[in-house]
């Protein structure tokens, strides 16, 4: 897309905005790398001599950073899971067996995703990360059961068979219950459902892969590599376990105490339901990628000189703000779109939501000084207003009065930061009726008359 901008009569500037989209089979990361190579070639060939060429934003960078962050957290989570297993199992070989099952389950999940045609993205990685915490559950249960059978004196083969068989039904029931919770999330209709089905399927695939590994890979390793240590003396219970045993004994010793715990649980459950309305609800969460776009809607008839003044005022408001790294303003007719890149890494002072709120607050303060109708986030929705009310009628003046009163009362509601009505965007139109007989008499067609009228009115 090419946008031409002209500000002022003497200071004329032309901005060519090029937006590049990739083919369906091309990822945003690959697209960004290819475009940057092409830009380097253009600069080397001096094709932009006398002009400046800047990269405004590349969404592939945000995708790359997010993918790296999620992948790193998944790896850290897997390492912590293995360390926790070593802490509680206190058996190095058992920990190694469980640890090896994690990448094996992930590999099996990757193969299933490849067969199903799914790609590695934020949703699939989050689903995979969630599955890592649950995929070791089945392996731990199977391994513990086999270990108990070996303690009872069974040989490795018999211990693996009987130990796995005893817990198979419980593991399958547990996994199917979890899958039954996640799969309906993917049955949400509309555009949201198309995204959530990916998340649900990946979680289901991860759990199924973990069960398959627990029933095949774990018994094979346990039978061959997990040896029993000599029983020296019965270990004394740790302080935490002993305290839990005493507390549990005290609770179940009398029915009244048991009923008290049950009543306490029900009270906590019912009380939690009253907190649901207090939790903010959105269709999709904000994407924190240190980038935002702000739309500044202008009054009808705003001149180029006024746009230039507004653009300078926007820059002056954003320049002293911390975490605002770069700001580009694009003229789109009755709207100025401010593309804002924020600081990253060690340069971050505030989180993205706080920065965006400060930007909106600062730009909305310009409404009383300049012909600005509204200021909202361009990437928060099609219009930027989550609540829209339609008023229909035939009396123009009455509609205008109702709309103005509604905006005035709406702005007094707690939580409403901005309200506007479309009556503010009205303009006077002139209708020209052509005398077709006269046009035919002088040999003038409608198209020629239309061009002539435009020329006259533009003077």
């Amino acid at each position: 897309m090419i946008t031409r901008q002209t500000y002022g009569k003497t200071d004329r500037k032309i901005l060519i905005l090029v937006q590049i989209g990739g083919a369906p089979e091309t990822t945003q990361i690959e697209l960004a790398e290819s475009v940057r190579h092409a830009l380097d070639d253009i600069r080397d060939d001096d094709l932009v001599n006398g002009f400046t060429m800047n990269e405004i934003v590349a969404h592939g960078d945000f995708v790359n950073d997010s993918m790296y962050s999620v992948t790193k957290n998944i790896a850290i989570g897997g390492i912590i899971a293995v360390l926790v297993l070593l802490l509680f199992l206190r058996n190095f070989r058992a920990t190694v067996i469980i640890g090896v099952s994690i990448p094996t389950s992930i590999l099996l999940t990757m193969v299933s995703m490849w067969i199903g045609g799914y790609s590695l993205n934020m949703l699939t990685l989050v689903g995979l990360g969630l599955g890592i915490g649950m995929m070791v559950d089945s392996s731990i249960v199977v391994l513990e059961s086999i270990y108990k059978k070996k303690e009872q004196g069974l040989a490795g083969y018999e211990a693996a068979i009987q130990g796995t068989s005893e817990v198979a039904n419980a593991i399958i029931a547990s996994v199917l219950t979890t899958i039954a919770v996640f799969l309906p999330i993917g049955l949400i209709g509309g555009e949201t459902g198309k995204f959530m089905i990916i998340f649900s399927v990946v979680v289901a695939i991860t759990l199924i892969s973990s069960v398959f590994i627990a029933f095949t890979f774990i018994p094979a390793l346990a039978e061959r590599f997990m040896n029993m240590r000599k029983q020296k003396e019965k270990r004394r219970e740790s302080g935490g376990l002993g305290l839990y045993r005493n507390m549990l004994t005290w609770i179940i010793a009398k029915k009244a105490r048991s009923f008290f715990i049950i009543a306490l649980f029900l009270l906590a459950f019912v009380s939690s339901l009253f907190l649901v309305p207090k939790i903010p609800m959105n269709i999709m969460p904000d994407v924190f990628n240190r980038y935002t776009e702000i739309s500044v809607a202008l009054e009808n008839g705003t001149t180029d000189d006024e746009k230039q003044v507004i653009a300078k005022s926007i820059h002056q408001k954003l320049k002293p703000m911390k975490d605002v790294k770069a700001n580009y303003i694009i003229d789109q007719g009755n709207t100025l779109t401010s593309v804002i890149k924020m600081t990253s890494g060690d340069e971050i002072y505030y989180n993205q939501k706080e920065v965006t709120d400060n930007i909106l607050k600062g730009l909305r303060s310009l409404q009383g000084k300049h012909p600005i109708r509204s200021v909202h986030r361009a990437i928060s929705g099609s219009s930027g207003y989550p609540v829209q009310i339609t008023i229909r009628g035939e009396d123009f003046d009455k509609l205008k009065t109702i709309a103005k009163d509604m905006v005035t009362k709406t702005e007094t509601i707690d939580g409403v930061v901005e309200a506007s009505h479309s009556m503010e965007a009205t303009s006077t139109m002139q209708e020209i009726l052509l005398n077709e007989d006269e046009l035919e008499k002088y040999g003038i067609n409608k198209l020629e008359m239309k061009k002539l009228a435009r020329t006259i009115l533009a003077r």
Side-chain angles (χ1 to χ4, degrees):
M1 182 180 74
I2 299 177
T3 302
R4 178 170 177 168
Q5 292 178 260
T6 304
Y7 286 136
K9 295 181 179 179
T10 57
D11 183 15
R12 185 178 181 184
K13 299 180 181 179
I14 297 177
L15 168 67
I16 300 178
L17 174 66
V18 181
Q19 295 180 330
I20 303 173
E25 66 275 5
T26 305
T27 65
Q28 290 187 352
I29 299 175
E30 294 172 340
L31 176 64
E33 293 178 353
S34 300
V35 171
R36 281 168 179 159
H37 286 310
L39 292 178
D40 291 336
D41 294 338
I42 292 173
R43 291 189 182 96
D44 294 339
D45 295 339
D46 291 330
L47 298 179
V48 289
N49 189 21
F51 295 87
T52 59
M53 183 171 60
N54 298 318
E55 177 186 305
I56 297 179
V57 62
H59 291 281
D61 294 340
F62 305 139
V63 176
N64 194 25
D65 293 341
S66 300
M67 294 281 284
Y68 172 76
S69 178
V70 174
T71 304
K72 181 181 70 174
N73 291 335
I74 288 176
I76 294 174
I79 295 173
I80 293 176
V82 173
L83 294 177
V84 171
L85 289 173
L86 181 61
L87 177 64
F88 284 91
L89 294 179
R90 297 180 182 177
N91 188 312
F92 181 76
R93 290 196 177 190
T95 304
V96 171
I97 292 173
I98 300 295
V100 172
S101 71
I102 295 177
T104 308
S105 299
I106 293 176
L107 177 62
L108 191 58
T109 303
M110 294 290 185
V111 173
S112 301
M113 288 173 57
W114 175 70
I115 295 174
Y118 292 104
S119 63
L120 280 177
N121 51 56
M122 285 295 296
L123 284 176
T124 55
L125 283 176
V126 170
L128 189 61
L130 180 63
I132 285 180
M134 296 185 291
M135 69 172 54
V136 296
D137 295 345
S138 302
S139 299
I140 292 174
V141 173
V142 171
L143 191 65
E144 180 68 16
S145 181
I146 295 173
Y147 188 83
K148 291 295 184 183
K149 293 300 178 182
K150 283 193 174 185
E151 279 187 332
Q152 295 174 5
L154 294 180
Y157 176 79
E158 291 295 329
I161 295 297
Q162 292 190 23
T164 305
S165 300
E166 283 188 3
V167 297
N169 290 336
I171 291 176
I172 293 174
S174 175
V175 170
L176 289 180
T177 302
T178 307
I179 292 176
V181 171
F182 278 97
L183 279 184
I185 298 177
L187 301 180
I188 301 174
E191 294 295 325
T192 305
K194 295 180 181 179
F195 290 99
M196 297 310 298
I197 188 64
I198 300 174
F199 175 77
S200 302
V201 169
V202 170
V203 172
I205 291 175
T206 304
L207 292 176
I208 294 172
S209 301
S210 67
V211 171
F212 180 79
I213 294 298
F215 286 167
T216 56
F217 191 67
I218 296 299
L221 289 179
E223 191 271 334
R224 292 290 181 183
F225 300 104
M226 190 173 68
N227 297 328
M228 295 296 300
R229 294 179 299 181
K230 293 182 179 180
Q231 298 290 335
K232 295 181 179 180
E233 60 179 5
K234 191 174 182 179
R235 290 181 179 177
R236 301 176 65 180
E237 291 182 347
S238 62
L241 187 59
L243 180 63
Y244 169 72
R245 180 185 292 276
N246 294 334
M247 182 182 66
L248 191 60
T249 303
W250 180 82
I251 291 174
I252 63 177
K254 293 184 178 182
K255 290 184 179 180
R257 296 171 184 171
S258 299
F259 283 123
F260 173 75
I261 295 298
I262 295 173
L264 191 64
F265 167 77
L266 293 176
L267 179 62
F269 172 71
V270 174
S271 300
S272 64
L273 297 179
F274 291 97
L275 296 176
V276 174
K278 302 294 184 180
I279 302 174
M281 295 185 181
N282 296 301
I283 296 176
M284 292 293 287
D286 289 335
V287 178
F288 297 109
N289 48 23
R290 309 299 294 176
Y291 163 83
T292 190
E293 294 180 11
I294 305 297
S295 288
V296 180
L298 307 177
E299 298 285 356
N300 286 341
T302 304
T303 64
D304 289 340
D305 291 337
E306 290 174 328
K307 288 181 180 179
Q308 185 179 22
V309 174
I310 295 173
K312 290 180 179 179
S313 298
I314 292 174
H315 283 302
Q316 290 173 358
K317 279 288 182 182
L318 297 179
K319 187 176 180 180
M321 289 187 182
K322 291 184 177 180
D323 288 297
V324 175
K325 184 176 183 180
N327 169 46
Y328 303 89
I329 297 178
I330 302 171
D331 183 4
Q332 295 179 318
N334 282 343
T335 302
L336 295 180
T337 300
S338 179
V339 180
I340 300 169
K341 295 177 68 175
M342 303 178 191
T343 55
S344 59
D346 297 333
E347 299 177 352
I348 295 177
Y349 284 92
Y350 304 106
N351 62 52
Q352 181 169 332
K353 187 177 184 304
E354 291 177 318
V355 178
T356 303
D357 290 342
N358 290 335
I359 292 172
L360 289 172
K361 184 177 179 181
L363 297 187
R364 282 170 180 158
S365 66
L366 300 175
Q367 287 184 252
K369 306 173 183 177
H370 303 282
I372 298 175
R373 286 195 293 111
S374 64
V375 178
H376 58 263
R377 291 181 60 195
I379 56 178
S380 62
S382 58
S383 67
Y385 294 96
V387 178
Q388 300 181 37
I389 300 173
T390 301
I391 306 173
R392 300 180 182 272
E394 297 181 358
D395 190 330
F396 182 83
D397 294 331
K398 192 172 182 179
L399 282 174
K400 192 171 184 179
T401 302
I402 294 173
K404 186 176 180 180
D405 292 341
M406 180 169 286
V407 168
T408 302
K409 293 181 179 180
T410 303
E411 289 177 338
T412 61
I413 299 175
D414 186 25
V416 175
V417 295
E418 183 181 9
S420 63
H421 58 83
S422 59
M423 303 296 287
E424 298 172 347
T426 58
S427 59
T428 304
M429 297 181 62
Q430 294 181 344
E431 185 179 4
I432 301 176
L433 299 178
L434 302 178
N435 190 326
E436 296 184 5
D437 294 335
E438 292 294 324
L439 290 177
E440 186 177 352
K441 178 180 178 180
Y442 291 100
I444 303 174
N445 58 41
K446 293 182 179 180
L447 182 60
E448 291 175 340
M449 192 63 198
K450 183 178 180 180
K451 293 180 179 178
L452 180 61
R454 282 183 174 178
T455 303
I456 296 173
L457 294 175
R459 293 177 181 176

